[in-house]
Amino acid sequence: MVQPTDLAIVNGVVRTVDARDTVAEAVLIQGGRFAAIGSASDIRALAGPDTTVYDAEGRTVVPGFIDPHNHLSLAAFEPVSVDCHTPPLASIDEVLDAISRHCRNVPIGQWVRGVGYAVPGVREQRPPTRWELDEAAPNNPFFLLDLTCNAAYVNSLALSQVGISAHTPQPWGGLIVMDHRGEPTGTLYQAALNPFQTASWRAYAHDDWDAATELLHAKMNEYLSVGITSLCDAAVTPDCAELYERADVAGKLAFTVQQLHTADDFFGKPDLRRNDFVERVRGRDSDRLRGGTMKLFVDHAFPDGPAMDRIHDGCRVHTGTAYYNKPEVKDLALGARKLGINTAIHAMGNCSVNTVLDAYEAVRIAEGTDAALLRLEHAYVAEPAQAPRMASLGVDLVAKPGLVYLHGPVFRDVWRGAGQRHLSVIPLRSMIDAGVRVSFGSDAPAGTFKPAEILWSALTRRAIDGDEINIEEAVRPEQALRCYTINSAHAANRASEEGSIEVGKRGNLVVLDRDIITCPVDDVRTMRVLMTVVGGRVVYQDRESLKPAAPQLNLSTDRGPSLS
């Protein structure tokens, strides 16, 4: 690993995001960690002769953004997959044409993956069938992952290779959609897509681990360009764990990755009785690769939505599908804690949120302390009334405000529905006001990974159709910044290491072209990252951000930073 150099930034608006939200003028990094925060004159006086000093010229400096819920091990393979995003593609024919063009250049028999397909984005308002995919990819097993990552669409060759037919029983936690003749249509929901996800991912990674490592490294560099300086991968299978181990050994992890380990397959059922699973979760921590957390899915997205309790004619009516019953979730949460394992539990609907809170209450009672990290992922359609209980249990809510823009209309119109006044779409403000520690994740590639867009969505609550969804749940800029930095560090169990600009913490920071606390909220969406620093090293520079004349923050890689 390249050793960090001493670095100082002066004449900036340094938003430390410490307990007092201190704002300073300058910061000094020595040995990869923050060494001093204060006035420009103080930092200049402390800087040694070999310290590189950047003049920020009034620009804003914030802690590096932390994405506590990202699927990096999926997103890394997007560049070698078929881009089927809808939009910009507007019809199934356009999607099939993109697949066909890609497959013409692929060896016969090789697995091909597609990404980004969303049913609401095409005119037909349905997925492609296996037979349509057969025509587009006649010589290759083809796997098209839905944008939500909760569904997939495959052709006949893929079904044959995995061994799925009309005689295959329905799997635990998933659904193989059949037509009126009892034949698989090619649509797979949740755990039914597991063998296809595993087979196609292995075809990309196992055949060339070096190439897979480079793809991972390239995606991490892309994340650095938007200010992300660490993340949690929210569903790490044994295959993904091997990729991360290889990347770590090769020095290809551009920042720290916290692994949230799932079962053998993406939507699999974790078995705490298996020593190999427990050992993988506990893992071997290094500077850039961490473990210790188990991921658990509690409710489905398809075909009937998450586990919900709605009100009809004054009575609670349950809808949606769960993976487990309430006692099973409690036993898994308690079993994990007995083994010293933290938990991150996916719960989208208000009923599943209650299921998770019941389990976490049992953990708190059993331990007698609030030491365990207890994460609840999503809460896409939840009750503001659930917030006080979540706060009292010390549960970290890892929310995805960026999905308000892309998936908000579905959350509002399909999952919540009309007349459900007790329910809100991603109730951020209610949770924060009740004392819940909320962090912001992306869920990429299910949504944008760009902090600028996610922050803007949290501030405006604007959806792709132009509507403002539950505008009362919009947060203030200073709350949003805290959710994306120090709160996310807590969710990653690394708040003592990063998440704020404080002496002794890792020297991870971002220089922005505007102050996201004071600028108009719509300007947040277009903010640019001028510099990203990880562990005291400049790892990203915007070439066009500043003039190359000294003494100022010259980020041109041709001439290097100006020295003061």
Side-chain angles (χ1 to χ4, degrees):
M1 183 177 296
V2 178
Q3 292 300 313
T5 58
D6 292 351
L7 178 151
I9 298 176
V10 300
N11 300 326
V13 178
V14 182
R15 296 196 173 276
T16 64
V17 198
D18 64 7
R20 300 176 300 280
D21 280 328
T22 301
V23 180
E25 288 182 333
V27 58
L28 174 66
I29 301 174
Q30 293 178 331
R33 296 186 177 270
F34 294 119
I37 300 101
S39 68
S41 59
D42 289 342
I43 297 305
R44 286 181 185 274
L46 291 170
D50 296 326
T51 301
T52 303
V53 181
Y54 294 88
D55 189 336
E57 293 189 325
R59 290 172 175 83
T60 300
V61 181
V62 299
F65 296 116
I66 300 170
D67 188 341
H69 191 114
N70 185 295
H71 294 284
L72 171 61
S73 53
L74 291 180
F77 294 92
E78 287 182 325
V80 291
S81 303
V82 188
D83 186 352
C84 299
H85 280 86
T86 56
L89 302 180
S91 68
I92 290 177
D93 282 344
E94 290 180 29
V95 172
L96 295 174
D97 183 61
I99 296 168
S100 179
R101 283 187 278 108
H102 182 96
C103 289
R104 290 182 199 135
N105 301 312
V106 176
I108 291 174
Q110 179 176 305
W111 275 92
V112 177
R113 290 170 64 95
V115 295
Y117 189 87
V119 168
V122 294
R123 284 194 293 270
E124 295 86 350
Q125 295 290 288
R126 65 171 178 84
T129 68
R130 65 185 276 194
W131 301 282
E132 290 169 325
L133 293 172
D134 288 345
E135 293 185 12
N139 301 311
N140 302 90
F142 181 76
F143 172 82
L144 174 56
L145 185 63
D146 188 88
L147 182 64
T148 65
C149 300
N150 281 264
Y153 318 107
V154 299
N155 66 357
S156 297
L157 273 175
L159 288 167
S160 176
Q161 286 216 8
V162 169
I164 301 297
S165 70
H167 304 286
T168 302
Q170 293 294 345
W172 173 91
L175 178 68
I176 303 166
V177 177
M178 305 288 190
D179 66 10
H180 66 284
R181 301 167 300 169
E183 288 289 336
T185 66
T187 293
L188 309 158
Y189 292 138
Q190 281 87 219
L193 65 83
N194 280 340
F196 300 88
Q197 159 65 20
T198 299
S200 60
W201 194 95
R202 285 178 175 173
Y204 279 61
H206 285 206
D207 287 351
D208 192 339
W209 283 111
D210 290 341
T213 298
E214 290 299 331
L215 286 168
L216 186 74
H217 184 65
K219 180 58 70 172
M220 296 179 86
N221 283 333
E222 189 177 357
Y223 286 176
L224 289 171
S225 73
V226 297
I228 296 171
T229 59
S230 68
L231 61 75
C232 301
D233 188 321
V236 176
T237 64
D239 289 329
C240 298
E242 182 173 354
L243 176 59
Y244 280 125
E245 285 278 355
R246 287 173 177 268
D248 191 27
V249 170
K252 293 292 184 178
L253 293 183
F255 47 72
T256 302
V257 174
Q258 177 83 26
Q259 302 171 95
L260 311 184
H261 290 275
T262 187
D264 291 348
D265 295 297
F266 194 91
F267 288 105
K269 190 174 185 179
D271 188 349
L272 292 167
R273 297 168 301 179
R274 283 175 45 186
N275 289 335
D276 61 330
F277 174 72
V278 172
E279 288 171 4
R280 171 162 62 88
V281 176
R282 287 173 169 170
R284 174 194 62 83
D285 283 354
S286 71
D287 184 67
R288 292 288 171 94
L289 189 59
R290 307 295 176 87
T293 300
M294 179 181 77
K295 170 70 175 294
L296 187 68
F297 293 90
V298 168
D299 55 354
H300 295 205
F302 300 111
D304 53 354
M308 304 276 298
D309 285 326
R310 292 187 172 93
I311 303 296
H312 290 287
D313 297 327
C315 299
R316 278 192 173 248
V317 177
H318 179 80
T319 60
T321 304
Y323 287 92
Y324 308 92
N325 61 37
K326 287 177 180 285
E328 287 174 323
V329 176
K330 183 177 74 171
D331 289 345
L332 282 164
L334 284 168
R337 283 312 306 157
K338 288 178 182 177
L339 294 168
I341 293 172
N342 294 319
T343 46
I345 306 183
H346 152 122
M348 298 185 292
N350 65 319
C351 176
S352 57
V353 168
N354 278 333
T355 296
V356 175
L357 294 181
D358 288 347
Y360 281 164
E361 183 173 2
V363 170
R364 293 296 190 217
I365 291 171
E367 289 207 320
T369 72
D370 60 358
L373 173 63
L374 304 178
R375 293 175 41 149
L376 192 153
E377 316 294 305
H378 305 316
Y380 289 144
V381 183
E383 301 174 44
Q386 293 171 314
R389 186 183 182 203
M390 195 179 299
S392 69
L393 291 172
V395 173
D396 279 80
L397 173 60
V398 183
K400 319 298 175 315
L403 300 189
V404 170
Y405 176 77
L406 196 58
H407 301 295
V410 172
F411 296 161
R412 175 194 61 201
D413 301 332
V414 180
W415 288 6
R416 184 185 66 184
Q420 303 301 308
R421 296 186 177 182
H422 65 302
L423 298 174
S424 291
V425 172
I426 313 182
L428 299 175
R429 188 64 177 267
S430 295
M431 295 291 175
I432 292 172
D433 287 351
V436 177
R437 188 164 59 206
V438 176
S439 56
F440 287 174
S442 67
D443 209 13
T448 180
F449 62 83
K450 298 178 180 178
E453 295 182 6
I454 293 168
L455 289 165
W456 170 82
S457 188
L459 297 172
T460 66
R461 305 286 298 194
R462 208 167 297 153
I464 194 170
D465 61 5
D467 287 350
E468 293 176 339
I469 296 182
N470 284 116
I471 186 61
E472 72 278 4
E473 296 295 349
V475 301
R476 299 191 305 272
E478 62 272 18
Q479 292 173 323
L481 179 59
R482 183 165 287 274
C483 290
Y484 228 133
T485 53
I486 187 61
N487 286 7
S488 289
H490 279 286
N493 207 26
R494 295 201 304 275
S496 62
E497 296 182 55
E498 58 183 318
S500 59
I501 299 175
E502 297 183 85
V503 172
K505 288 191 175 184
R506 290 173 180 258
N508 296 353
L509 60 77
V510 179
V511 182
L512 306 175
D513 70 337
R514 67 201 68 183
D515 190 343
I516 58 176
I517 303 300
T518 60
C519 74
V521 291
D522 279 326
D523 288 352
V524 171
R525 193 180 193 183
T526 55
M527 80 174 187
R528 284 191 302 131
V529 171
L530 307 181
M531 173 186 281
T532 304
V533 177
V534 173
R537 292 184 56 236
V538 177
V539 291
Y540 171 76
Q541 302 174 358
D542 184 323
R543 291 174 177 269
E544 301 177 359
S545 62
L546 297 170
K547 298 177 183 178
Q552 57 188 347
L553 182 59
N554 171 17
L555 302 180
S556 168
T557 55
D558 295 329
R559 298 186 55 176
S562 58
L563 294 176
S564 314

